[in-house]
PDB file of all heavy atoms in Angstrom:
ATOM      1  N   GLU B1654     -30.664  -2.247  47.742  1.00 94.00           N
ATOM      2  CA  GLU B1654     -30.466  -2.572  49.161  1.00 94.00           C
ATOM      3  C   GLU B1654     -29.676  -1.470  49.866  1.00 94.00           C
ATOM      4  O   GLU B1654     -29.782  -1.305  51.072  1.00 94.00           O
ATOM      5  CB  GLU B1654     -29.723  -3.919  49.312  1.00 94.00           C
ATOM      6  CG  GLU B1654     -30.509  -5.117  48.815  1.00 94.00           C
ATOM      7  CD  GLU B1654     -31.891  -5.220  49.480  1.00 94.00           C
ATOM      8  OE1 GLU B1654     -31.979  -4.979  50.697  1.00 94.00           O
ATOM      9  OE2 GLU B1654     -32.881  -5.498  48.769  1.00 94.00           O
ATOM     10  N   ALA B1655     -28.880  -0.737  49.098  1.00 96.00           N
ATOM     11  CA  ALA B1655     -28.064   0.328  49.706  1.00 96.00           C
ATOM     12  C   ALA B1655     -28.855   1.607  49.922  1.00 96.00           C
ATOM     13  O   ALA B1655     -28.353   2.550  50.538  1.00 96.00           O
ATOM     14  CB  ALA B1655     -26.850   0.617  48.820  1.00 96.00           C
ATOM     15  N   MET B1656     -30.083   1.662  49.416  1.00 97.00           N
ATOM     16  CA  MET B1656     -30.883   2.887  49.575  1.00 97.00           C
ATOM     17  C   MET B1656     -31.090   3.221  51.057  1.00 97.00           C
ATOM     18  O   MET B1656     -31.199   4.385  51.432  1.00 97.00           O
ATOM     19  CB  MET B1656     -32.230   2.730  48.877  1.00 97.00           C
ATOM     20  CG  MET B1656     -32.147   2.840  47.368  1.00 97.00           C
ATOM     21  SD  MET B1656     -31.869   4.534  46.813  1.00 97.00           S
ATOM     22  CE  MET B1656     -33.555   5.171  46.869  1.00 97.00           C
ATOM     23  N   SER B1657     -31.144   2.185  51.886  1.00 95.00           N
ATOM     24  CA  SER B1657     -31.372   2.457  53.307  1.00 95.00           C
ATOM     25  C   SER B1657     -30.118   3.032  53.979  1.00 95.00           C
ATOM     26  O   SER B1657     -30.196   3.502  55.113  1.00 95.00           O
ATOM     27  CB  SER B1657     -31.818   1.185  54.025  1.00 95.00           C
ATOM     28  OG  SER B1657     -30.847   0.192  53.835  1.00 95.00           O
ATOM     29  N   THR B1658     -28.974   3.003  53.296  1.00 95.00           N
ATOM     30  CA  THR B1658     -27.797   3.673  53.860  1.00 95.00           C
ATOM     31  C   THR B1658     -27.866   5.180  53.614  1.00 95.00           C
ATOM     32  O   THR B1658     -27.135   5.947  54.226  1.00 95.00           O
ATOM     33  CB  THR B1658     -26.481   3.138  53.252  1.00 95.00           C
ATOM     34  OG1 THR B1658     -26.452   3.479  51.854  1.00 95.00           O
ATOM     35  CG2 THR B1658     -26.340   1.639  53.400  1.00 95.00           C
ATOM     36  N   VAL B1659     -28.713   5.585  52.667  1.00 96.00           N
ATOM     37  CA  VAL B1659     -28.825   7.004  52.317  1.00 96.00           C
ATOM     38  C   VAL B1659     -30.110   7.613  52.881  1.00 96.00           C
ATOM     39  O   VAL B1659     -30.121   8.770  53.281  1.00 96.00           O
ATOM     40  CB  VAL B1659     -28.823   7.185  50.776  1.00 96.00           C
ATOM     41  CG1 VAL B1659     -28.856   8.657  50.409  1.00 96.00           C
ATOM     42  CG2 VAL B1659     -27.611   6.518  50.156  1.00 96.00           C
ATOM     43  N   PHE B1660     -31.174   6.819  52.887  1.00 97.00           N
ATOM     44  CA  PHE B1660     -32.482   7.376  53.246  1.00 97.00           C
ATOM     45  C   PHE B1660     -33.074   6.695  54.486  1.00 97.00           C
ATOM     46  O   PHE B1660     -32.934   5.480  54.662  1.00 97.00           O
ATOM     47  CB  PHE B1660     -33.471   7.199  52.082  1.00 97.00           C
ATOM     48  CG  PHE B1660     -33.110   7.984  50.858  1.00 97.00           C
ATOM     49  CD1 PHE B1660     -32.647   7.331  49.719  1.00 97.00           C
ATOM     50  CD2 PHE B1660     -33.209   9.361  50.844  1.00 97.00           C
ATOM     51  CE1 PHE B1660     -32.306   8.045  48.582  1.00 97.00           C
ATOM     52  CE2 PHE B1660     -32.873  10.092  49.711  1.00 97.00           C
ATOM     53  CZ  PHE B1660     -32.414   9.437  48.574  1.00 97.00           C
ATOM     54  N   THR B1661     -33.783   7.490  55.273  1.00 96.00           N
ATOM     55  CA  THR B1661     -34.528   6.961  56.422  1.00 96.00           C
ATOM     56  C   THR B1661     -35.863   6.410  55.922  1.00 96.00           C
ATOM     57  O   THR B1661     -36.258   6.644  54.777  1.00 96.00           O
ATOM     58  CB  THR B1661     -34.828   8.077  57.433  1.00 96.00           C
ATOM     59  OG1 THR B1661     -35.672   9.057  56.796  1.00 96.00           O
ATOM     60  CG2 THR B1661     -33.547   8.765  57.906  1.00 96.00           C
ATOM     61  N   GLU B1662     -36.553   5.743  56.800  1.00 96.00           N
ATOM     62  CA  GLU B1662     -37.868   5.197  56.437  1.00 96.00           C
ATOM     63  C   GLU B1662     -38.835   6.306  55.983  1.00 96.00           C
ATOM     64  O   GLU B1662     -39.491   6.163  54.938  1.00 96.00           O
ATOM     65  CB  GLU B1662     -38.436   4.418  57.648  1.00 96.00           C
ATOM     66  CG  GLU B1662     -39.781   3.776  57.422  1.00 96.00           C
ATOM     67  CD  GLU B1662     -39.718   2.465  56.631  1.00 96.00           C
ATOM     68  OE1 GLU B1662     -38.617   1.922  56.449  1.00 96.00           O
ATOM     69  OE2 GLU B1662     -40.794   2.015  56.182  1.00 96.00           O
ATOM     70  N   PRO B1663     -38.933   7.442  56.707  1.00 96.00           N
ATOM     71  CA  PRO B1663     -39.841   8.503  56.206  1.00 96.00           C
ATOM     72  C   PRO B1663     -39.420   9.035  54.835  1.00 96.00           C
ATOM     73  O   PRO B1663     -40.284   9.408  54.025  1.00 96.00           O
ATOM     74  CB  PRO B1663     -39.726   9.603  57.273  1.00 96.00           C
ATOM     75  CG  PRO B1663     -39.304   8.902  58.507  1.00 96.00           C
ATOM     76  CD  PRO B1663     -38.426   7.767  58.057  1.00 96.00           C
ATOM     77  N   GLU B1664     -38.132   9.058  54.575  1.00 97.00           N
ATOM     78  CA  GLU B1664     -37.668   9.552  53.266  1.00 97.00           C
ATOM     79  C   GLU B1664     -38.030   8.568  52.157  1.00 97.00           C
ATOM     80  O   GLU B1664     -38.441   8.971  51.056  1.00 97.00           O
ATOM     81  CB  GLU B1664     -36.158   9.796  53.306  1.00 97.00           C
ATOM     82  CG  GLU B1664     -35.790  11.018  54.150  1.00 97.00           C
ATOM     83  CD  GLU B1664     -34.355  11.041  54.627  1.00 97.00           C
ATOM     84  OE1 GLU B1664     -33.609  10.062  54.369  1.00 97.00           O
ATOM     85  OE2 GLU B1664     -33.972  12.032  55.275  1.00 97.00           O
ATOM     86  N   LEU B1665     -37.889   7.290  52.449  1.00 97.00           N
ATOM     87  CA  LEU B1665     -38.290   6.286  51.456  1.00 97.00           C
ATOM     88  C   LEU B1665     -39.809   6.313  51.264  1.00 97.00           C
ATOM     89  O   LEU B1665     -40.312   6.186  50.141  1.00 97.00           O
ATOM     90  CB  LEU B1665     -37.831   4.896  51.898  1.00 97.00           C
ATOM     91  CG  LEU B1665     -36.314   4.670  51.871  1.00 97.00           C
ATOM     92  CD1 LEU B1665     -35.946   3.354  52.560  1.00 97.00           C
ATOM     93  CD2 LEU B1665     -35.783   4.672  50.441  1.00 97.00           C
ATOM     94  N   ALA B1666     -40.518   6.508  52.371  1.00 96.00           N
ATOM     95  CA  ALA B1666     -41.988   6.546  52.290  1.00 96.00           C
ATOM     96  C   ALA B1666     -42.448   7.740  51.452  1.00 96.00           C
ATOM     97  O   ALA B1666     -43.389   7.630  50.662  1.00 96.00           O
ATOM     98  CB  ALA B1666     -42.578   6.611  53.701  1.00 96.00           C
ATOM     99  N   ALA B1667     -41.774   8.887  51.620  1.00 97.00           N
ATOM    100  CA  ALA B1667     -42.147  10.072  50.829  1.00 97.00           C
ATOM    101  C   ALA B1667     -41.929   9.792  49.345  1.00 97.00           C
ATOM    102  O   ALA B1667     -42.736  10.190  48.496  1.00 97.00           O
ATOM    103  CB  ALA B1667     -41.322  11.273  51.280  1.00 97.00           C
ATOM    104  N   GLN B1668     -40.834   9.087  49.027  1.00 97.00           N
ATOM    105  CA  GLN B1668     -40.578   8.754  47.619  1.00 97.00           C
ATOM    106  C   GLN B1668     -41.648   7.799  47.098  1.00 97.00           C
ATOM    107  O   GLN B1668     -42.074   7.890  45.944  1.00 97.00           O
ATOM    108  CB  GLN B1668     -39.176   8.157  47.474  1.00 97.00           C
ATOM    109  CG  GLN B1668     -38.084   9.179  47.759  1.00 97.00           C
ATOM    110  CD  GLN B1668     -36.690   8.589  47.643  1.00 97.00           C
ATOM    111  OE1 GLN B1668     -36.232   8.292  46.562  1.00 97.00           O
ATOM    112  NE2 GLN B1668     -36.017   8.423  48.775  1.00 97.00           N
ATOM    113  N   GLU B1669     -42.044   6.884  47.940  1.00 97.00           N
ATOM    114  CA  GLU B1669     -43.083   5.936  47.528  1.00 97.00           C
ATOM    115  C   GLU B1669     -44.401   6.670  47.241  1.00 97.00           C
ATOM    116  O   GLU B1669     -45.117   6.354  46.285  1.00 97.00           O
ATOM    117  CB  GLU B1669     -43.280   4.885  48.632  1.00 97.00           C
ATOM    118  CG  GLU B1669     -44.243   3.770  48.276  1.00 97.00           C
ATOM    119  CD  GLU B1669     -43.811   2.944  47.068  1.00 97.00           C
ATOM    120  OE1 GLU B1669     -42.623   2.631  46.958  1.00 97.00           O
ATOM    121  OE2 GLU B1669     -44.682   2.638  46.211  1.00 97.00           O
ATOM    122  N   ARG B1670     -44.677   7.680  48.047  1.00 97.00           N
ATOM    123  CA  ARG B1670     -45.912   8.449  47.811  1.00 97.00           C
ATOM    124  C   ARG B1670     -45.835   9.213  46.487  1.00 97.00           C
ATOM    125  O   ARG B1670     -46.823   9.318  45.754  1.00 97.00           O
ATOM    126  CB  ARG B1670     -46.180   9.396  48.987  1.00 97.00           C
ATOM    127  CG  ARG B1670     -46.690   8.672  50.231  1.00 97.00           C
ATOM    128  CD  ARG B1670     -47.296   9.642  51.234  1.00 97.00           C
ATOM    129  NE  ARG B1670     -46.292  10.489  51.855  1.00 97.00           N
ATOM    130  CZ  ARG B1670     -45.604  10.169  52.952  1.00 97.00           C
ATOM    131  NH1 ARG B1670     -45.833   9.014  53.544  1.00 97.00           N
ATOM    132  NH2 ARG B1670     -44.716  10.992  53.445  1.00 97.00           N
TER     133      ARG B1670
END
Side-chain angles (χ1 to χ4, degrees):
Chain B
E1654 295 305 319
M1656 284 287 278
S1657 57
T1658 65
V1659 183
F1660 294 109
T1661 63
E1662 181 79 12
E1664 288 160 356
L1665 291 170
Q1668 293 179 71
E1669 185 61 42
R1670 286 195 290 272

